Amino acid sequence: GAGITFPATQSASSDANTLDDYEEGTTTVTFTPSTSGTITLNASYQTVAYTKVGRLVTITGEFLVSSVSTPVGTSVTIGNLPFSANSASNAFASGFGILDLGTGGVVGARISASSNYVDLRVNASTIAANYNIIVGFSYMT
């Protein structure tokens, strides 16, 4: 009867139809090859936006690689996400889209249970300076 309310702080409710957790913000992420080397992002393109509604977190952002130093590995990790994934084993990011304008490819990703990072399934050595990478995905906390 009263409509939807988005409290500034979580206001737990026993009513299953009450949205009791909503948050918007930004966070600065890290970008790391799984084995060795470094991938440095342009500081102006290193922040992602997030929206959390209940347990669902949606992340969007754009990265610009400014330099690399012999990156090695079978994946690249986007770290420092604002919330950890739920504790279910093999949790997956939903609707994950990576567009790497350097190669024109789309790659998959996996978020590990109880972690605040996502692994991009891309050979780290293929990442080069001036690559532009756009992400958009959701996961459950």
Side-chain angles (χ1 to χ4, degrees):
I4 297 175
T5 300
F6 295 104
T9 57
Q10 187 171 2
S11 176
S13 171
S14 60
D15 181 353
N17 295 315
T18 299
L19 179 60
D20 60 0
D21 189 6
Y22 179 86
E23 183 177 335
E24 291 181 344
T26 60
T27 189
T28 301
V29 298
T30 58
F31 208 70
T32 311
S34 61
T35 303
S36 63
T38 60
I39 299 172
T40 304
L41 298 176
N42 178 313
S44 296
Y45 292 90
Q46 191 174 354
T47 301
V48 296
Y50 67 86
T51 302
K52 182 174 187 281
V53 179
R55 294 180 47 226
L56 180 65
V57 179
T58 300
I59 303 284
T60 58
E62 180 180 12
F63 310 122
L64 179 60
V65 177
S66 60
S67 66
V68 297
S69 178
T70 58
V72 176
T74 57
S75 65
V76 175
T77 299
I78 298 174
N80 198 38
L81 297 178
F83 304 96
S84 292
N86 65 29
S87 60
S89 62
N90 297 317
F92 286 89
S94 170
F96 203 99
I98 301 282
L99 175 59
D100 178 347
L101 299 179
T103 62
V106 176
V107 299
R110 179 175 173 274
I111 189 164
S112 297
S114 303
S115 70
N116 71 335
Y117 60 89
V118 65
D119 290 319
L120 307 181
R121 302 299 185 191
V122 61
N123 183 337
S125 67
T126 64
I127 305 295
N130 297 316
Y131 273 21
N132 180 256
I133 301 167
I134 299 167
V135 298
F137 63 95
S138 297
Y139 64 97
M140 299 298 283
T141 61

